[in-house]
Amino acid sequence: MNYDDPLAYFITWTVYGTHLQGDSDGWRRRSRGQQNPQPRLQRWRAERLKHEIVLLSPADRTAVTESCHQHCRRRDWKLWEINVRSNHLHLVVTATGYAGTTVRDQLKANATRAVREHAALFRDRPVWTSGGDWRCVNTDADLDAVCLYVREAQDRKEFDVE
């Protein structure tokens, strides 16, 4: 994979507490990719949550979507697709000259601010799980595939709450 100048980044992050390590719906370990379910690890992580799990409302989701669009316009980044769900979000963005981590972190910070301005419930607690995932998209075929996934496949997942 070429990390120097990808065509786009496919970025994902999750709502606090909704996708724990060991999760039976799938989870990723940093630098090791997809991992098998580990129920004991998931229970251990769940017991250590410091805050209640709160899903994003439709209004929260709209605020996040708008903040990502605004940030991309301000930075002159191309936002190909975005899908904010109740428990996670996916987006595809071209941000030439920026590292994937930087792009993810800037968008996530602005999304956090938007949610906290909109919903007082999130003001003194985390909105998101720390970190998140980003992958380089290096071909037009891969760009088409991830955009299709973000746009359509999310509605077919049983475990996502609308």
Side-chain angles (χ1 to χ4, degrees), residues 57 59-60 63 113-124 127:
S57 71
D60 298 333
R113 183 176 32 79
V115 170
R116 287 184 175 155
E117 286 174 357
H118 175 268
L121 172 66
F122 287 105
R123 290 202 181 121
D124 295 320
V127 179

Side-chain angles (χ1 to χ4, degrees), residues 12-157:
T12 303
W13 68 78
T14 60
V15 171
Y16 175 83
T18 60
H19 289 78
L20 301 173
Q21 288 179 326
D23 195 318
S24 61
D25 290 328
W27 65 288
R28 295 175 53 84
R29 178 167 284 167
R30 193 170 291 138
S31 304
R32 295 188 188 156
Q34 196 66 28
Q35 301 292 304
N36 292 324
Q38 296 178 1
R40 286 182 17 197
L41 175 59
Q42 182 181 11
R43 275 192 308 278
W44 186 81
R45 287 290 187 191
E47 290 167 359
R48 280 151 186 78
L49 290 175
K50 294 178 181 170
H51 303 276
E52 171 187 356
I53 295 171
V54 178
L55 300 178
L56 298 177
S57 71
D60 298 333
R61 293 163 61 179
T62 298
V64 169
T65 300
E66 289 174 2
S67 77
C68 289
H69 278 286
Q70 288 172 359
H71 189 73
C72 287
R73 280 194 300 274
R74 192 169 40 253
R75 288 282 187 193
D76 200 26
W77 295 346
K78 168 72 173 162
L79 182 59
W80 295 93
E81 293 290 340
I82 183 168
N83 194 335
V84 182
R85 310 302 291 189
S86 60
N87 58 1
H88 70 285
L89 72 83
H90 294 292
L91 57 88
V92 182
V93 60
T94 296
T96 305
Y98 290 86
T101 303
T102 300
V103 175
R104 179 202 63 209
D105 292 350
Q106 286 186 15
L107 289 165
K108 193 174 172 186
N110 281 282
T112 301
R113 183 176 32 79
V115 170
R116 287 184 175 155
E117 286 174 357
H118 175 268
L121 172 66
F122 287 105
R123 290 202 181 121
D124 295 320
R125 51 155 296 141
V127 179
W128 315 110
T129 307
S130 65
D133 191 36
W134 62 270
R135 296 184 217 167
C136 291
V137 178
N138 292 310
T139 68
D140 288 333
D142 289 343
L143 179 61
D144 290 343
V146 296
C147 285
L148 180 66
Y149 176 79
V150 170
R151 188 173 52 249
E152 296 181 14
Q154 296 305 294
D155 292 326
R156 294 189 291 256
K157 289 193 171 181

